[in-house]
Amino acid sequence: MYRALLELADDHLVLGHRVSEWCGHAPMLEEDLALPNMALDCIGTARALYARAGELEGAGRDEDALAYFRGEREYLNCLLVEQPNGDFAQTMLRQLGFAAFMEPFWRAAAQSSDDAVRGVAGKAVKEMAYNIRHAGEWVVRLGDGTDESTGRMRAASDALAPYWDELFLSSPATQEAEAAGILPERAGLRANWEQVMRDVFAQALLDWPEATWSQGGGREGRHGEGLGHLLAEMQSVARAHPGATW
Amino acid sequence: MYAQGLIGADGRTDETPEFLAAFKARIDAEEKIEPKDAMPEGYRRTLIRQIGQHAHSEIVGMLPEGNWITRAPSLKRKAALLAKVQDEGGHGLYLYAAAETLGVSREEMTEELLDGRAKYSSIFNYPTLTWADIGTIGWLVDGAAIMNQIPLCRCSFGPYARAMIRVCKEESFHQRQGYEIMLTLCRGTQAQKDMAQDALNRWWWPSLMMFGPHDADSTHSDQSMAWKIKRFSNDELRQKFIDATVPQAEFLGLTVPDPECKWNEAKGGYDHGPIDWDEFWRVVKGGGVMNRERIAARKKAWDDGAWVREAALVHAEKRKARKAAMAAE
Ligand SMILES: [Fe+2]
Ligand SMILES: [Fe+2]
């Protein structure tokens, strides 16, 4: 179960970190306020999950030990969340796809047999609903906006298409947690997710991309090259001062 | 003598001596001036300049601290820094809204910032080099901002005064949070302590410069005082800041980088050494380490975002047209 929670925590931290890269550089001031909200939602959830994972591991590692002192082969996030921000269209579509998966996930996790997971779920389900709304509205605006924005949204959809499948795959550790009633079954969330995505795409006057191939490996720590750079940056100060308190 | 000009945000009125005297009487009676009220053109222009500069400072100020969001050394600090930088963006938003009540748009103000016509606080032209800079900026820069802004809560222009009340609450939270980062560093390892001292060494003098030139050299001050846009002189505010901050540095076990900084019993405040005004003017005029990068970063965000803003407008129009077409059926 430790490993299953770590996968989930890594998803949230890596995505929160990516979204935080926008802070101060957004297309408009309103988005300079909204993007940090989305990043904070993800990072807040990651912290709670790392804390619980550390407890379960029982090796005295706290949230920061888990976040700052593991390398890229030990990170277990899915590949979707580590994808570079790209343009605003790609960032918003990535956020929509992730939130549209996590919102029903947390809704189901409200029945988890683990107190800590239930605690996270109660808060996260509302946050992910907001993320779906905010990112979904942008996908619609950009899809049905100018020729340029439509083209960019199509390109984003193509760029991210190979990474959706991995959301619905459960690693052996996650399968155990699912069987124990701690986490909801990922595969079972697909229909709901596709419904939300197809609905947004229809409003955006975009064709839903039929997947031609998919890319996984994140749950075994096999990532793209970008994650190593993300972690090198994120961990640089903490690793230069091991044992320090901040 | 009377000048002619635009009075208030919407309407031409002659600035007769009677009008100016009546306006002065309202100010003297501590009445708040609201956007719809008639006001001298100079008052309006001064406020647009000041509020615009203030808004730009909040926005450009997101960059030096934003530089450390991806490297914050703990998840708690990362979340707090993100929230802080987000708050600064929020301050920018209230302030642009306050300036817009005077008849200038956010787009116009943004363009003035990007083409160099409008200024922003020069402190943000210094680079953030270590994590300790994040603590120091909260402690000193937000601290100095509070000293400047508390009196603005009583500014004669209503929308600015009200924006400042909200902003000051958040700035004082930022200041405490920054000081707490410093406290943690100063109780930490020798390397952390050295990092804290180094950051104080670099930010101390630029922080003192944030209050502007000495009173004798300050050009806009007298009129702003008479209009109750400004309540204390630059030197008075600087003195208050030094008196509040030096004991805080001592508590941290850090040394203010000014050998002439000494308690003066007779004046009941600290004396300080000479401020390098050549450096101040050089940085104001564009010669700081980060001036070009700051504006380039804002310009890049603005230009790269143009297609997004345009798409949002076009989409809104399409929706409106569709709604109208449906209603007509
Ligand atoms: Fe601020
Ligand atoms: Fe602040």
Side-chain angles (χ1 to χ4, degrees), chain A residues 93-118:
Chain A
L93 181 59
R94 186 184 60 194
Q95 201 69 18
L96 172 68
F98 181 76
F101 175 82
M102 289 313 306
E103 194 267 343
F105 180 95
W106 291 125
R107 215 172 338 115
Q111 316 298 324
S112 167
S113 57
D114 186 84
D115 285 351
V117 170
R118 278 202 309 279

Side-chain angles (χ1 to χ4, degrees), chain B residues 58 65 84 87-88 91 142 145 167 170-171 174-175:
Chain B
E58 302 284 357
E65 290 184 279
K84 194 232 184 209
D87 283 350
E88 305 301 0
H91 299 167
D142 288 79
V167 166
E170 292 181 352
E171 300 297 13
H174 297 164
Q175 196 268 349

Side-chain angles (χ1 to χ4, degrees), chain B residues 11 14 45 93 131 142 203 299:
Chain B
D14 288 337
R45 265 216 285 256
L93 199 61
W131 172 251
D142 288 79
W203 290 94
K299 197 165 157 28

Side-chain angles (χ1 to χ4, degrees), chain A residues 24-81:
Chain A
H25 308 279
M28 61 189 74
L29 191 43
E30 285 75 4
E31 289 307 303
D32 264 324
L33 305 184
L35 287 156
N37 263 343
M38 299 199 282
L40 282 165
D41 290 344
C42 291
I43 293 169
T45 298
R47 291 181 64 191
L49 292 168
Y50 282 133
R52 180 67 180 134
E55 250 172 52
L56 289 165
E57 187 196 29
R61 290 205 281 183
D62 63 7
E63 58 178 54
D64 290 328
L66 290 170
Y68 289 92
F69 292 90
R70 284 181 304 135
E72 55 262 57
R73 294 285 287 116
E74 295 161 285
Y75 259 73
L76 303 175
N77 57 278
C78 62
L79 301 185
L80 173 73
V81 296

Side-chain angles (χ1 to χ4, degrees), chain A residues 17 23-24 27 29-30 33 37 40 47 64 68 138 141 144-145 148-149 152 233-234 237 241 245-246, chain B residues 59 70-75 77-79 85-86 90 106 184 192 195 298 307-309 311 315 318 322:
Chain A
H17 183 100
C23 189
L29 191 43
E30 285 75 4
L33 305 184
N37 263 343
L40 282 165
R47 291 181 64 191
D64 290 328
Y68 289 92
W138 272 113
R141 274 184 212 118
D144 178 24
E148 179 176 6
S149 72
R152 283 174 180 265
E233 185 174 352
M234 182 174 90
V237 179
H241 303 268
T245 303
W246 301 98
Chain B
I59 300 304
T70 53
R71 288 178 288 171
S74 76
L75 294 184
R77 295 295 184 201
K78 191 183 191 71
V85 176
Q86 182 190 37
R106 205 210 291 179
T184 309
Q192 286 176 302
M195 197 191 281
R298 288 310 312 158
W307 69 272
V308 177
R309 297 191 301 274
H315 177 76
K318 282 184 181 175
R322 263 178 238 148

Side-chain angles (χ1 to χ4, degrees), chain A residues 164-197:
Chain A
W164 299 129
D165 272 351
E166 198 184 8
L167 287 173
F168 306 98
L169 299 178
S170 300
S171 69
T174 291
Q175 285 172 27
E176 267 176 50
E178 291 170 358
I182 295 163
L183 296 177
E185 270 184 48
R186 287 181 166 259
L189 301 170
R190 179 140 210 159
N192 193 323
W193 178 84
E194 221 173 287
Q195 177 75 52
V196 173
M197 297 301 281

